[in-house]
Amino acid sequence: MIQNIMTLTCAIIDDEPLALGLLESYAQKTPTLEVRGLYSSAIEAMRALPDNPVDILFLDVQMPDLNGLEFSRMVPESTRIIFTTAFGQYALDGYRVNALDYLLKPISYADFTGAVNKAICWFELKHRADGCLPGETADKELEYIYVKSDYKLIQIELDKILFIEGLKDYIKIHLEDTPKPILSLTSLKAMEEKLPADRFIRVHRSFIVQKQKIKIIEKGRIIFGKNYIPVSDSYKQDLQNYVNQHII
């Protein structure tokens, strides 16, 4: 069970001593944070973090040798990034690397705690979602998942999913009775691993469909209203095996 107050570990990376000291002072007076590391460069952090992993990384963007955006792509997904920078033009880049938040210098304590609270909400939701999987009894069915979308975690009921479309760096989750798909910065492979295999099937390198939602198959395509989902040769037999189980 998740406690009412979650404590997260954090590290701070900033090549400016004053900024590093300010963020450290903010973190030390925040009861929900435990400071595990202070680093004056991404190179220094790159050497230390593998042996000292943290939940949150407060990461400056503009740094010599290796900047924060470059370094964020090396950080494991289990560590969430909160960017800190004096330059607002990096906000879009922060979204592209799936940062949890973006703090613009000079950073106030109110903004800092707002980002921390957002991180706590994210980790609490993630723990609840993950709690449905490890050690779960075989007869207890996964009912929903959480996906990251636009700096938020959104709960999605599995029963509502029609199909999932993979793009280059994103996926689109198409739901029943929802005209606009949910966009999430993750891979189709990662989503496939999360979904129960007895309910979802990969039919194309770019598409996963929910088996029980398949109503019409025509000319090698699955039809969902105005959407036509192609079935590639490499996945055709798996789909045929499923359909054969239900043919009268």
Side-chain angles (χ1 to χ4, degrees), residues 129-152:
D130 289 347
C132 298
L133 296 174
E136 188 170 46
T137 58
D139 58 349
K140 186 175 181 182
E141 190 172 333
L142 183 66
E143 296 179 352
Y144 57 85
I145 58 173
Y146 287 94
V147 298
K148 293 169 281 189
S149 180
D150 193 23
Y151 294 102
K152 299 186 293 290

Side-chain angles (χ1 to χ4, degrees), residues 158-225:
L158 295 190
D159 284 343
K160 300 286 188 181
I161 298 176
L162 291 173
F163 65 95
I164 302 166
E165 178 182 0
L167 305 174
K168 183 179 180 182
D169 299 313
Y170 298 83
I171 60 170
K172 285 183 178 180
I173 304 173
H174 297 258
L175 306 174
E176 285 182 329
D177 307 321
T178 304
K180 187 177 179 181
I182 293 174
L183 191 67
S184 180
L185 184 62
T186 189
S187 68
L188 198 64
K189 177 176 172 52
M191 178 58 71
E192 183 179 20
E193 292 173 351
K194 190 78 170 178
L195 295 170
D198 61 329
R199 296 180 60 182
F200 292 85
I201 184 170
R202 186 85 168 256
V203 297
H204 187 275
R205 68 176 184 175
S206 300
F207 290 96
I208 296 171
V209 302
Q210 182 157 194
K211 295 176 181 179
Q212 65 178 5
K213 302 296 183 181
I214 300 173
K215 307 299 182 184
I216 302 174
I217 302 175
E218 180 183 63
K219 297 179 180 178
R221 299 176 300 178
I222 300 169
I223 301 174
F224 291 107

Side-chain angles (χ1 to χ4, degrees), residues 228-242:
Y228 291 78
I229 311 303
V231 180
S232 65
D233 291 339
S234 55
Y235 296 99
K236 189 175 295 183
Q237 190 59 53
D238 291 339
L239 178 62
Q240 188 62 55
N241 291 342
Y242 166 71

Side-chain angles (χ1 to χ4, degrees), residues 18 26 37 39 55 65 75 84 112-113 116 127 135 147 198 207:
L18 289 178
Y26 283 171
Y39 307 104
D55 298 315
D65 299 324
V75 175
T84 61
F112 181 88
T113 55
V116 172
H127 287 183
V147 298
D198 61 329
F207 290 96

Side-chain angles (χ1 to χ4, degrees), residues 88-122:
Q89 70 266 27
Y90 293 115
L92 179 59
D93 292 324
Y95 174 74
R96 285 174 177 162
V97 297
N98 204 22
L100 187 63
D101 209 345
Y102 186 97
L103 297 177
L104 192 61
K105 297 177 181 179
I107 300 167
S108 69
Y109 184 58
D111 290 339
F112 181 88
T113 55
V116 172
N117 289 337
K118 184 182 292 186
I120 289 172
C121 289
W122 191 93

Side-chain angles (χ1 to χ4, degrees), residues 23-37:
L23 292 176
E24 180 188 14
S25 70
Y26 283 171
Q28 287 178 339
K29 66 180 180 180
T30 304
T32 51
L33 286 182
E34 178 186 341
V35 181
R36 291 280 183 87

